[in-house]
Amino acid sequence: MRHSDIPSPLQQQKLPSYRLRYAVIVSVLALLFIIVALVTYRYIADVSTRSLRAATQREQSLVYLNDSYAQLHRMQLLLHGYLMNPAPETQQRLETSSRQVRNAFNRLADDGESSHNLDAALITRSLYDSTAELGRRVDALIEIRSDPARWFPASEIIENELQPNNSLFVAHLDALIDSTGSGAEADVVKTLERLYSLRKAWLRMTDELRLIIANRFGAHAIDPQTGMQVRAQNVTLYAGQVNEMLASLTDVSTPDSDKVVATQIDSLAAYAEAWRNAYQRLATLLDSPTWRTDTTYMSEQIEPLLGRMAQRLDILRVELQSQSRKQVDTLAKVSLGLGTVLVAALAILLLFGIIGYFSVDRLILRPIRLLAENLKAHARNAQTVQPMPPAVSETRDLLNAFAEMQAQVRSRERQLDHLAHHDSLSGLPNRTLFRRKLAMAVDKAVRHESMLGLLFIDLDRFKQINDSYGHAAGDQMLIEIAKRLSKVFRQDDIVARLGGDEFAVLLENLNVRDEMSLLAAKALSAIKQPFEFEGHVFYSGASIGIAVAPADGTDPDHLIQQADAAMYAAKRDDGSSYRYVSEELTAAAVAQHTLENELRDAVKAHELQLHFQPVIAMGDGHLHCYESLLRWPHSQQGMLRPASFMDALADAGLCSAISDWALDQIPDKSPDANTPLSINLSARLLHDDAFAQRLFDRLDTGRLAPSRLILEITEDTLESDLRAASRVLHELKRRGVRIALDDFGTGHASLGHLRRFPFDYVKIDQSFIAGIGKVHNDEKLIQAIIRLAHALGMKVVAEGVETDDQRTFLAAEQCDYLQGYLVGRPAASNT
């Protein structure tokens, strides 16, 4: 459909548009959602800011609260430690802790006032006030603990009564013992025994008193009360013994006794009585709860205050937790409100979406579907179905776009059809179109019992021109050849380019074969004409194979194959000629195909073998290396050499597989483990990146020792891509592999190749060795090759040496190594 298919008035007609209407609706909805989003955002941002500020304040309050807890607990520990050990350093730490407690609660009070929470402020302020009272009570405790008479009231009884009476009793007792003397009278002895027993009982009693005091302080017993009761019983026991002994001493004395002794005994009794009275008061005091003033002050004045402060801290912590829960509840309410707003917004959006869908479907989508169906019907049958007139401006634009697209598609279809069936370089029909034309022409020839010819043309020396002067020269040459062929053949003949440098010509309406021969000769003459490109003049030729239908067959692919085989036969006849399909060519093609199939089966069955031929040094005759040679024990033709099946091997695409197999066999099949081995590489493998990488991997992993490997390259290898060959050979040389140029003199290698590539050996072909003593020019060539190789630093290997005369000649010319039947025949390894 073209633009003219749509009536012109419709293109210019003023039609309504729904874009503006829907733009207004969408704008209103967008504005509404923006307002809701902004309000919600402001609200959430405000709540989040307040919550973040409150959370930060609570975190800071918790830090101060925990610090206050820690300082209060530390002070309590120091207070108990000070009561146990009132050393100056302990007192200093206690005073420092008191200041730290005051500072901590001061910070807590300041934080409470800044939190704007009245309850927290009142609690923290009361806590701070309590620290002042705590400080005063701690100072009072220090004063009490500093005065022994204040913190331990029993010390006065001990110092003023118990210790003096004890000292006086012991002194008078010792004086009485000294005054009694040391006589042997029975009375004296008896008196001394009682005095010593008295002193022993008195000392035990005073020791038990010391243990009572020690137990009171918890020094000798886990349970002080039980220890004190046991010791008190012992004191009572020993006190009774003291009284009994004093009474016995009084009974012993007589009116006639020394009055001084009696007086001393009375003094001892008085001291003992005073000591017992003081002991009774001490025991009563030690057993009372107020036996220590400092601990009483600690338990009655300081610990209750510490408890109240800790309780207020707990209340403050509960208050902070309550605030946190309130904030969580607030955030939950905000989230619930936000969720409600979102649900309402989604409900409104869904409602407007449903309304909008039905509106768009009725006003736009339905007309577009109808228009699309109408356009499909118009595309299938433009003669009977006309495009429907547009209802709105949007569908009018769609109709115009469809018309433009349809015109472009038809134009591109024609272009693609031409590209799909014609060669992009020459403009000639390609293989696909040529085969279709050939099939149609063959059917026509069979129906009308006429004759047609198929010319298969392959250019000679095109690859050398393309490689030497670049693809631009090769492309220009193909264009020129296409023009010449189009001028040579008739207007009804079809000239096609099948690919590369291959052309084909379909000749119809022929009566005799001579017409094909005449046209083929004219084509060869046109191709042989010189071709000039950028100042260079090139000469080319062609080989032409001719197949005739229906005599040579009626299948298009078979005809092309037959003509291709005839072309190769013409090329083997030195090229620049044409040749018809014949029975001999067909038989040769069948034989080649059979050989390829047999070769494939032999490769699968591992029937190929490696034979090894020695290469010896000319000077001392020592073994230099073995050359590994491929052999095929054919079931009918016997042992075949590579020359008889190498072409079939290459055509079957097995060169790479066979070379990989040979490289894997060399380490295991070699005659010995130390002698180097050489192997021939196909010309195609130097340009096979995958094979080259596999060869490098074998060398790098040690499966092949580079020092034992010699690769032989034939001269025809160097006729193709020089850069690829040079890269691979230099990389092999870098890895330590030696390179030999095989069959030198039989190919087209130039002297520049010897200088460019890293050859270690030059192998003179056996065809020149056979001419020694027979062909004078062969001997001259051998001499020149040896001198040239030595001048380039290469060793020379003579192949095919079979006679002593040949060996004598080569020795005189200083050839380095010999190989041939005279040295040793190829044989399979015994391993």
Side-chain angles (χ1 to χ4, degrees):
M1 183 179 66
R2 299 181 299 274
H3 287 290
S4 57
D5 294 334
I6 303 175
S8 178
L10 291 178
Q11 297 181 4
Q12 305 299 329
Q13 182 181 357
K14 183 67 174 179
L15 296 175
S17 173
Y18 291 98
R19 295 177 183 173
L20 181 60
R21 192 174 303 169
Y22 276 93
V24 172
I25 296 174
V26 171
S27 299
V28 172
L29 288 176
L31 182 61
L32 178 61
F33 277 106
I34 290 173
I35 293 174
V36 173
L38 287 176
V39 172
T40 305
Y41 171 77
R42 291 292 300 274
Y43 176 70
I44 294 175
D46 183 60
V47 172
S48 300
T49 303
R50 293 199 305 271
S51 299
L52 180 61
R53 189 183 302 115
T56 305
Q57 179 68 35
R58 281 196 306 277
E59 290 294 330
Q60 188 65 38
S61 299
L62 285 174
V63 171
Y64 293 149
L65 180 63
N66 292 331
D67 182 51
S68 300
Y69 261 120
Q71 294 297 337
L72 198 63
H73 180 67
R74 181 171 179 272
M75 186 175 185
Q76 188 174 11
L77 294 178
L78 288 173
L79 284 169
H80 288 285
Y82 177 72
L83 292 178
M84 296 298 296
N85 180 25
E89 58 271 15
T90 308
Q91 179 178 342
Q92 184 179 1
R93 287 198 296 270
L94 182 59
E95 293 172 350
T96 302
S97 177
S98 179
R99 291 193 298 271
Q100 291 175 348
V101 167
R102 188 170 182 81
N103 294 333
F105 279 88
N106 185 28
R107 290 192 295 269
L108 186 63
D110 294 339
D111 180 73
E113 292 178 357
S114 63
S115 65
H116 305 291
N117 187 308
L118 183 59
D119 294 337
L122 292 175
I123 294 172
T124 55
R125 176 50 58 185
S126 65
L127 284 170
Y128 178 70
D129 294 339
S130 297
T131 57
E133 179 63 24
L134 178 63
R136 288 192 293 271
R137 295 186 182 185
V138 169
D139 293 340
L141 178 64
I142 294 174
E143 292 179 1
I144 294 172
R145 193 64 176 85
S146 300
D147 186 1
R150 293 185 62 185
W151 72 271
F152 187 49
S155 62
E156 293 184 356
I157 299 175
I158 295 173
E159 292 178 2
N160 298 332
E161 298 183 37
L162 290 176
Q163 287 182 354
N165 289 312
N166 178 61
S167 299
L168 291 172
F169 184 89
V170 173
H172 281 76
L173 181 60
D174 291 340
L176 182 60
I177 292 172
D178 291 339
S179 63
T180 302
S182 57
E185 295 84 359
D187 293 337
V188 173
V189 171
K190 186 176 181 180
T191 301
L192 287 174
E193 287 179 355
R194 291 178 178 180
L195 289 175
Y196 282 121
S197 297
L198 176 61
R199 184 167 65 179
K200 182 178 180 181
W202 181 266
L203 292 176
R204 287 182 176 178
M205 182 181 67
T206 56
D207 287 340
E208 291 296 329
L209 176 60
R210 294 189 186 95
L211 292 175
I212 289 174
I213 296 173
N215 281 324
R216 176 71 272 184
F217 282 97
H220 297 288
I222 299 176
D223 187 1
Q225 294 293 336
T226 303
M228 289 174 62
Q229 292 174 1
V230 173
R231 300 304 176 185
Q233 293 173 1
N234 293 337
V235 170
T236 303
L237 176 64
Y238 291 130
Q241 292 178 1
V242 168
N243 289 335
E244 292 176 358
M245 292 178 184
L246 286 173
S248 66
L249 286 174
T250 303
D251 294 339
V252 170
S253 62
T254 63
D256 295 333
S257 299
D258 189 354
K259 297 297 183 179
V260 175
V261 174
T263 302
Q264 290 178 346
I265 291 174
D266 292 338
S267 298
L268 290 174
Y271 295 146
E273 181 65 23
W275 190 93
R276 284 194 297 271
N277 293 331
Y279 164 73
Q280 292 297 330
R281 293 197 306 276
L282 176 64
T284 302
L285 183 59
L286 291 178
D287 193 50
S288 66
T290 60
W291 71 279
R292 283 188 64 171
T293 308
D294 57 346
T295 56
T296 302
Y297 189 84
M298 178 70 183
S299 60
E300 292 179 357
Q301 298 297 324
I302 296 180
E303 287 186 348
L305 180 59
L306 292 174
R308 289 194 298 274
M309 295 176 69
Q311 185 178 11
R312 291 174 185 174
L313 288 175
D314 292 335
I315 295 173
L316 184 59
R317 184 184 295 277
V318 171
E319 179 65 23
L320 292 176
Q321 293 175 350
S322 175
Q323 293 178 15
S324 179
R325 286 193 296 270
K326 289 179 181 179
Q327 185 177 4
V328 171
D329 294 339
T330 301
L331 292 177
K333 293 178 181 179
V334 171
S335 301
L336 181 61
L338 180 60
T340 304
V341 172
L342 291 177
V343 169
L346 289 175
I348 295 173
L349 181 62
L350 180 62
L351 178 61
F352 277 101
I354 294 174
I355 296 173
Y357 170 77
F358 285 108
S359 299
V360 170
D361 181 70
R362 183 177 65 84
L363 300 174
I364 294 181
L365 297 181
R366 191 178 302 170
I368 290 177
R369 286 196 296 270
L370 294 176
L371 178 62
E373 294 174 358
N374 175 261
L375 291 178
K376 288 179 182 179
H378 173 77
R380 288 192 296 266
N381 191 353
Q383 301 297 327
T384 59
V385 180
Q386 295 298 322
M388 64 181 296
V392 293
S393 59
E394 287 81 4
T395 54
R396 181 192 62 194
D397 297 338
L398 179 63
L399 196 60
N400 292 337
F402 176 81
E404 179 67 23
M405 181 184 66
Q406 190 178 43
Q408 293 181 5
V409 166
R410 289 178 178 175
S411 175
R412 290 177 182 176
E413 284 178 348
R414 291 190 294 269
Q415 295 176 3
L416 291 175
D417 182 73
H418 184 271
L419 291 175
H421 297 92
H422 290 78
D423 176 47
S424 60
L425 180 65
S426 63
L428 297 177
N430 60 11
R431 181 183 291 270
T432 302
L433 181 58
F434 181 80
R435 186 190 179 285
R436 184 168 43 175
K437 294 289 186 182
L438 177 61
M440 295 170 58
V442 170
D443 291 341
K444 180 180 177 181
V446 171
R447 288 196 307 271
H448 295 84
E449 297 182 355
S450 60
M451 181 175 59
L452 65 83
L454 169 62
L455 275 62
F456 195 99
I457 305 173
D458 184 82
L459 301 182
D460 297 334
R461 295 182 296 280
F462 174 75
K463 184 171 180 58
Q464 288 83 346
I465 296 173
N466 197 48
D467 291 343
S468 301
Y469 295 95
H471 294 287
D475 292 345
Q476 194 61 38
M477 180 177 182
L478 292 175
I479 294 173
E480 179 63 25
I481 296 299
K483 292 180 180 179
R484 294 179 184 180
L485 292 177
S486 298
K487 293 178 181 179
V488 166
F489 292 98
R490 301 167 301 177
Q491 186 174 3
D492 294 337
D493 298 333
I494 298 175
V495 180
R497 181 188 173 207
L498 303 185
D501 58 345
E502 295 178 345
F503 293 86
V505 183
L506 176 60
L507 306 176
E508 294 187 88
N509 302 320
L510 298 177
N511 297 317
V512 293
R513 288 197 176 195
D514 291 343
E515 295 183 58
M516 302 181 200
S517 301
L518 179 62
L519 291 173
K522 293 173 71 174
L524 290 175
S525 177
I527 294 172
K528 287 181 180 179
Q529 298 299 317
F531 165 68
E532 183 177 356
F533 178 74
E534 294 183 354
H536 300 281
V537 178
F538 307 108
Y539 293 90
S540 181
S543 300
I544 302 177
I546 305 175
V548 180
D552 296 328
T554 57
D555 181 69
D557 294 328
H558 180 69
L559 285 174
I560 294 175
Q561 181 182 358
Q562 294 283 77
D564 188 13
M567 181 274 297
Y568 273 108
K571 191 177 288 289
R572 286 193 291 270
D573 294 339
D574 295 332
S576 297
S577 62
Y578 63 87
R579 187 166 180 177
Y580 283 91
V581 174
S582 63
E583 294 183 358
E584 293 81 4
L585 289 177
T586 303
V590 172
Q592 182 72 7
H593 181 69
T594 302
L595 184 62
E596 288 181 13
N597 291 335
E598 291 177 347
L599 186 57
R600 285 191 178 92
D601 294 338
V603 170
K604 292 180 180 179
H606 303 289
E607 294 178 359
L608 298 182
Q609 299 177 359
L610 284 180
H611 287 198
F612 299 91
Q613 186 175 23
V615 178
I616 66 170
M618 176 67 76
D620 55 6
H622 75 272
L623 179 63
H624 176 64
C625 68
Y626 286 100
E627 180 179 0
S628 54
L629 302 172
L630 188 64
R631 294 292 185 265
W632 179 14
H634 196 276
S635 58
Q636 298 177 355
Q637 303 180 35
M639 188 67 71
L640 298 180
R641 298 186 178 185
S644 60
F645 62 84
M646 189 55 69
D647 290 340
L649 193 68
D651 293 339
L654 298 174
C655 289
S656 176
I658 290 298
S659 297
D660 284 330
W661 170 82
L663 289 170
D664 291 334
Q665 294 293 313
I666 282 178
D668 299 328
K669 299 295 184 180
S670 58
D672 60 70
N674 298 319
T675 305
L677 295 169
S678 65
I679 183 172
N680 291 275
L681 283 187
S682 171
R684 296 174 175 85
L685 296 182
L686 284 183
H687 315 114
D688 187 345
D689 292 336
F691 174 80
Q693 187 59 50
R694 292 196 298 274
L695 178 57
F696 295 153
D697 292 340
R698 286 185 175 89
L699 297 172
D700 294 338
T701 56
R703 284 183 289 170
L704 287 176
S707 59
R708 291 193 59 212
L709 184 61
I710 302 173
L711 295 180
E712 298 189 11
I713 311 299
T714 55
E715 285 187 288
D716 58 351
T717 303
L718 307 179
E719 296 180 9
S720 55
D721 190 348
L722 300 179
R723 288 173 296 181
S726 176
R727 179 184 63 82
V728 176
L729 292 179
H730 278 88
E731 184 62 26
L732 290 170
K733 182 70 174 179
R734 187 186 68 80
R735 281 173 160 82
V737 178
R738 287 172 283 180
I739 313 296
L741 180 59
D742 195 17
D743 299 338
F744 184 73
T746 60
H748 302 282
S750 67
L751 297 180
H753 293 157
L754 293 178
R755 179 173 56 87
R756 178 174 183 177
F757 295 105
F759 294 118
D760 297 282
Y761 305 94
V762 173
K763 303 188 73 172
I764 303 175
D765 188 70
Q766 58 185 354
S767 61
F768 294 102
I769 303 301
I772 295 176
K774 301 176 183 179
V775 182
H776 183 68
N777 286 337
D778 286 354
E779 295 179 350
K780 294 294 184 181
L781 285 173
I782 292 172
Q783 293 172 349
I785 291 172
I786 293 175
R787 292 189 180 95
L788 175 63
H790 286 170
L792 295 175
M794 304 174 188
K795 302 294 184 180
V796 180
V797 181
E799 295 182 301
V801 178
E802 299 182 355
T803 65
D804 291 331
D805 292 339
Q806 293 172 351
R807 178 170 186 167
T808 301
F809 175 83
L810 292 170
E813 297 300 329
Q814 298 181 351
C815 181
D816 299 291
Y817 302 105
L818 300 179
Q819 179 181 356
Y821 287 174
L822 182 65
V823 175
R825 293 177 176 270
S829 175
N830 294 327
T831 59

